[in-house]
Amino acid sequence: MADRVMKIASERAVVVFTLSSCCMCHTMTQLMADLSVNAMVHELDRDPRGKEMEAALLKMLGGEGPAVPALFVGGKLVGGTKKVMSLHLARELVPMLKNAGALWL
């Protein structure tokens, strides 16, 4: 199932795995929108294999914290909410997005 996650993650410069009912997932997708990033949002609760993918994401994240939201930039796992917000506050997220070709400023 990790292969399926990576395949989806590599389809666009920025991919966010979410659950439609998750407020932190909404926050992550809103952050991408606020940064003018056209992220692909993959809602696991709308995917027939979503539960399996969620388990694979949790494993990829080291088994710690919730599996979603999970941000991939340039096909690589960046992390969940805590990691992404830390990068954003440290002004490291925007350069990462620029390097992946997801942002032009």
Side-chain angles (χ1 to χ4, degrees):
M1 198 48 57
D3 292 344
R4 180 172 157 87
V5 169
M6 293 309 294
K7 182 182 181 305
I8 293 169
S10 66
E11 290 176 1
R12 294 270 286 277
V14 178
V15 178
V16 185
F17 287 89
T18 69
L19 291 172
S20 60
S21 62
C22 168
C23 65
M24 292 314 294
C25 294
H26 176 73
T27 300
M28 178 91 68
T29 56
Q30 188 61 50
L31 173 63
M32 293 300 114
D34 290 349
L35 292 172
S36 299
V37 171
N38 186 16
M40 177 179 143
V41 178
H42 191 87
E43 292 184 343
L44 296 177
D45 50 343
R46 299 187 193 278
D47 186 309
R49 304 199 57 198
K51 286 286 184 200
E52 296 168 64
M53 292 172 66
E54 190 173 351
L57 280 165
L58 186 59
K59 198 171 192 179
M60 293 167 82
L61 289 164
E64 143 185 343
V68 292
L71 177 71
F72 285 77
V73 176
K76 294 181 183 147
L77 177 61
V78 174
T81 306
K82 192 173 180 179
K83 175 72 174 175
V84 172
M85 293 304 175
S86 295
L87 288 168
H88 184 51
L89 292 171
R91 300 187 189 279
E92 295 172 21
L93 183 61
V94 168
M96 185 184 297
L97 293 166
K98 282 182 186 175
N99 289 338
L103 192 59
W104 301 272
L105 288 177

